[in-house]
């Protein structure tokens, strides 16, 4: 059995807005997130973890931020691309795990909706999709409420 692990890390800054989109779920907040796309930092991070497991670059190489085509794009486009790449290489995604780092918004009340959306987009069973959160104890840029960071792991298997 061929097992591959990949990691992802991404950060998006807060800007004007009334919600953030995380794992495709709109979460009410007193700021939005700034990005070339819809700035879904969690979906970008999971996408990069899958690319990492495949050793095939990163999200900016596949979807350059300089390309106007991706302005305001829904990030599920990027995730679907990474999932298709994995499957076309003969891999199944075994599980994904991501941790959001922010003081606010509180992720807990939305975590199951986020998991369900990621499970639907990837075709994974819900038990294989994990969404977690932590504060940074008010330290650093996340602690000052300047943005949201996310880290993720993806495991891919080929029988
Ligand atoms: N944005 C966040 C941050 C944290 N949580 C939940 O709170 C727990 C405690 O966070 P600490 O940073 O103090 O360890 C954490 O384990 C999460 O369950 C959250 O929902 N949203
Ligand atoms: C997703 C892309 C798409 O142009 O733009 P952003 O929304 O700025 O997100 P980032 O995490 O900086 O990744 C780069 C790009 O691929």
């Amino acid at each position: 059995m061929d097992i591959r692990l990949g990691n992802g890390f991404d950060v998006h800054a807060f800007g004007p807005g009334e919600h953030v989109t995380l794992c495709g779920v709109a979460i009410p907040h007193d700021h939005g997130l700034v990005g070339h796309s819809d700035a879904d930092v969690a979906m970008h991070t999971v996408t990069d973890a899958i690319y990492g497991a495949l050793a095939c670059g990163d999200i900016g190489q596949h979807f350059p931020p300089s390309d106007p085509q991706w302005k305001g794009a829904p990030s599920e486009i990027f995730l679907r691309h990474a999932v298709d790449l994995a499957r076309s290489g003969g891999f199944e995604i075994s599980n994904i795990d991501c941790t959001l780092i922010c003081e606010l918004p509180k992720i807990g009340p939305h975590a199951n909706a986020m998991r369900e959306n990621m499970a639907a987009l990837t075709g994974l069973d819900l038990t294989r999709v994990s969404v977690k959160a932590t504060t940074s104890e008010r330290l650093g840029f996340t602690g000052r409420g300047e943005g949201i960071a996310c880290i993720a792991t993806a495991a891919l298997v080929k029988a």
Side-chain angles (χ1 to χ4, degrees), residues 102-109 133-137:
C102 57
E103 304 295 322
L104 292 172
K106 286 298 170 200
I107 302 301
T134 185
T135 69
S136 56
E137 300 291 344

Side-chain angles (χ1 to χ4, degrees), residues 79-135:
L79 180 63
R80 285 185 196 278
H81 177 264
V83 170
D84 287 348
L85 215 52
R87 299 225 164 101
S88 64
F91 286 96
E92 285 299 319
I93 299 171
S94 174
N95 70 294
I96 55 181
D97 179 24
C98 72
T99 301
L100 286 142
I101 305 156
C102 57
E103 304 295 322
L104 292 172
K106 286 298 170 200
I107 302 301
H110 307 281
N112 278 337
M114 294 162 67
R115 291 175 62 217
E116 281 167 12
N117 196 44
M118 293 297 274
L121 289 171
T122 55
L124 289 178
D125 190 88
L126 192 58
T127 60
R128 294 176 181 268
V129 179
S130 162
V131 172
K132 318 193 299 300
T134 185
T135 69

